[in-house]
Amino acid sequence: MPASPIIEIKNLSAGYDNRTVLHDINLTIYERDFLGIIGPNGAGKSTFLKTAAGLLPPVKGTCSLGLNVLIGYFDQQTAALSSDLTVAEHFHELFPSLTEKDVRQILGAFLFSGKAASKKVSSLSGGEKSRLVLAELFQSRPNFFLLDEPTNHMDIPARETLESAFQTYTGTLLFVSL
C-alpha cells in the first residue's frame, strides 16, 4: 500500500512583510519521510517551515495537510519558556493524566533526571528549554514534526538524546538546519 501524503505543496511562494523569499515550490511529503532543509541564514528555511505549519499564509499557491495529520512544531522561539514551576510540575501540568512516575521517566529520557527535574523552568539554559519543549512535543504524539534548528544551544549528550528519540519515531519529519 503506497504511503499517504502528509502535506502537498503546490506553486508555493512564501514570505512576510511584503517580501517574498521563496518562489514556486512544488513538493509532496509522504508518511515516514525524513527531510532536511539546509542553507544559509536568510534563505527562507524558517519561512517555509512556518508556512507549512500554517503559521504564515502562502503569498501564492497552497499548502494542504493530509488526513489526520497532527503537527508537532518547534521553532527557535518555542523554547522561550518562562515559569516558576519546576520542570516536573510544568510537564505534569501539561499532561495531567500521567503518573508522577511516568513524568519522571519521560523527563529522564530527555536528560531531566533526579535534581534536574526539580529545577525551575525559568532557570533552565537555552538547550535545556529546547529539550523540555521537545519532550512535550514527543509526548503529544504528532505524526508530522516540523523542527526549526532544534539542536541550537544543545550540547553533545542532548543532541545524542534527540537522535535516539528520532530513531524510534515512526512519523514524518521535516527539519531545518544551518
Side-chain angles (χ1 to χ4, degrees):
M1 178 158 100
S4 298
I6 292 292
I7 189 168
E8 291 185 274
I9 298 163
K10 295 183 180 174
N11 301 315
L12 177 72
S13 292
Y16 53 93
D17 297 332
N18 298 320
R19 183 173 165 240
T20 302
V21 294
L22 300 168
H23 300 276
D24 298 318
I25 297 172
N26 289 288
L27 176 67
T28 301
I29 300 172
Y30 294 92
E31 289 177 326
R32 299 183 182 216
D33 281 349
F34 273 45
L35 280 81
I37 301 172
I38 58 172
N41 286 336
K45 303 178 305 289
S46 296
T47 301
F48 176 71
L49 233 53
K50 287 177 184 170
T51 305
L55 301 172
L56 279 177
V59 171
K60 183 182 101 180
T62 60
C63 268
S64 304
L65 292 178
L67 296 175
N68 302 314
V69 173
L70 177 61
I71 290 177
Y73 178 73
F74 177 93
D75 73 6
Q76 297 165 44
Q77 313 314 311
T78 302
L81 298 174
S82 183
S83 170
D84 287 329
L85 297 176
T86 67
V87 169
E89 291 167 341
H90 169 82
F91 195 83
H92 199 241
E93 192 173 89
L94 292 174
F95 303 99
S97 64
L98 294 175
T99 66
E100 186 174 332
K101 180 182 176 184
D102 290 337
V103 167
R104 295 280 179 174
Q105 186 175 22
I106 293 163
L107 289 174
F110 284 85
L111 305 179
F112 290 109
S113 55
K115 290 183 181 181
S118 298
K119 289 173 81 172
K120 299 275 187 196
V121 171
S122 58
S123 72
L124 297 176
S125 70
E128 289 170 322
K129 287 180 180 180
S130 292
R131 281 194 330 239
L132 179 56
V133 169
L134 289 165
E136 294 167 9
L137 287 174
F138 268 95
Q139 185 58 34
S140 68
R141 304 205 191 316
N143 57 2
F144 185 28
F145 266 115
L146 295 158
L147 306 174
D148 192 357
E149 299 187 33
T151 58
N152 278 7
H153 312 295
M154 284 190 186
D155 58 14
I156 291 172
R159 288 175 189 218
E160 289 171 347
T161 296
L162 184 59
E163 184 179 325
S164 293
F166 278 114
Q167 286 177 348
T168 61
Y169 179 64
T170 59
T172 303
L173 174 65
L174 177 59
F175 72 95
V176 164
S177 187
L178 286 177

